[in-house]
Amino acid sequence: MSKQAEHPRSLLMLGMYLAALIVAFVMIKAEYARDLRVSEARGAASVLGQERAVDSLKTGNAVFMSLFAESGIIKWSYELANSHRNSKAPLFNQEKVSESMMTKTDAFWEMCRLAVQRFVFMLYWLPVLIPFIIAAMVDGAMAREIRKWRFQFTSTTIYNHARKLAGMIVFGVLLLPVIPVKLPILIYPMAIMLCAFMVWASIANMQKRI
């Protein structure tokens, strides 16, 4: 893939991340994001087991605190949200504006905490699925070699579509943590396995001359 194609895709992903966080700041309530986090944690416990789910939650909380709380970003954001309270601007009820900003800031950080928790759950599956991905790549390469020695044709259409679908799946998986809806814990391994299959299909149908 050319650098010109990668650059717009990176900007698109960044834009969608920012859009999701803006939606969280403007529309989502803190209670809703908190309920999502608790509900998904319970779902993780039913699949991964109570002990592993608790360990993942502790890891997510530690990462969140390290990134945002200990660095002072959360404190600064609340001070900024509360700064309207002492303003003497005559056109607005500064008390209500400050309360609204504090509420929206609560929702924003709850969504960030949910996103970090989802990233931790996603990373939890990688050690389990990495051997599967490697096996898919090796098997795809072997399938390509077999076709080459048998003088069988490979499908350019399958190659192009599988490569594009693999990129779209990776793109979607990276966006999952900021989607403000409930996600089943098994969506991460299912997406990764589907991506591995697309990688297999693209490698198996890679052209003999690139």
Side-chain angles (χ1 to χ4, degrees):
M1 183 180 296
S2 65
K3 293 183 178 179
Q4 290 81 1
E6 290 178 356
H7 186 62
R9 182 171 294 183
S10 300
L11 291 178
L12 177 61
M13 178 172 288
L14 178 60
M16 295 183 72
Y17 262 94
L18 292 176
L21 293 177
I22 290 173
V23 169
F25 188 80
V26 174
M27 300 180 61
I28 295 176
K29 295 182 179 180
E31 294 79 6
Y32 174 78
R34 195 176 297 115
D35 290 342
L36 278 182
R37 185 160 53 87
V38 172
S39 178
E40 291 184 12
R42 291 174 178 170
S46 65
V47 175
L48 304 177
Q50 186 69 30
E51 184 177 353
R52 291 179 179 177
V54 170
D55 288 342
S56 298
L57 291 174
K58 289 181 178 178
T59 301
N61 186 64
V63 171
F64 177 82
M65 296 299 290
S66 176
L67 289 176
F68 303 113
E70 295 176 5
S71 63
I73 297 177
I74 293 179
K75 180 181 178 181
W76 173 81
S77 67
Y78 279 103
E79 290 176 350
L80 181 65
N82 198 41
S83 63
H84 296 276
R85 191 179 298 273
N86 299 323
S87 175
K88 296 181 180 180
L91 298 179
F92 303 99
N93 186 327
Q94 299 304 317
E95 189 73 21
K96 290 185 178 180
V97 170
S98 180
E99 290 179 359
S100 176
M101 291 297 293
M102 293 289 282
T103 300
K104 295 181 184 300
T105 303
D106 286 338
F108 174 82
W109 288 118
E110 284 295 335
M111 276 301 299
C112 288
R113 188 185 292 271
L114 174 64
V116 171
Q117 175 179 296
R118 286 172 170 176
F119 266 118
V120 171
F121 285 144
M122 186 191 306
L123 294 176
Y124 176 85
W125 291 102
L126 288 182
V128 180
L129 294 174
I130 283 177
F132 179 81
I133 297 172
I134 295 175
M137 295 174 65
V138 172
D139 189 69
M142 293 299 297
R144 178 178 179 273
E145 289 298 316
I146 292 173
R147 289 181 179 181
K148 184 171 67 173
W149 288 107
R150 289 181 176 177
F151 299 100
Q152 294 177 339
F153 290 103
T154 55
S155 174
T156 305
T157 301
I158 293 177
Y159 168 75
N160 289 327
H161 282 81
R163 185 169 57 88
K164 291 178 181 179
L165 284 173
M168 292 174 62
I169 293 169
V170 172
F171 185 80
V173 167
L174 293 177
L175 286 175
L176 285 177
V178 295
I179 295 178
V181 296
K182 182 180 178 181
L183 299 176
I185 186 66
L186 293 178
I187 193 172
Y188 307 112
M190 291 174 63
I192 295 173
M193 291 177 68
L194 181 59
C195 181
F197 176 75
M198 292 299 139
V199 170
W200 175 88
S202 63
I203 294 176
N205 289 277
M206 190 179 297
Q207 301 302 295
K208 297 178 182 179
R209 294 181 180 180
I210 302 177

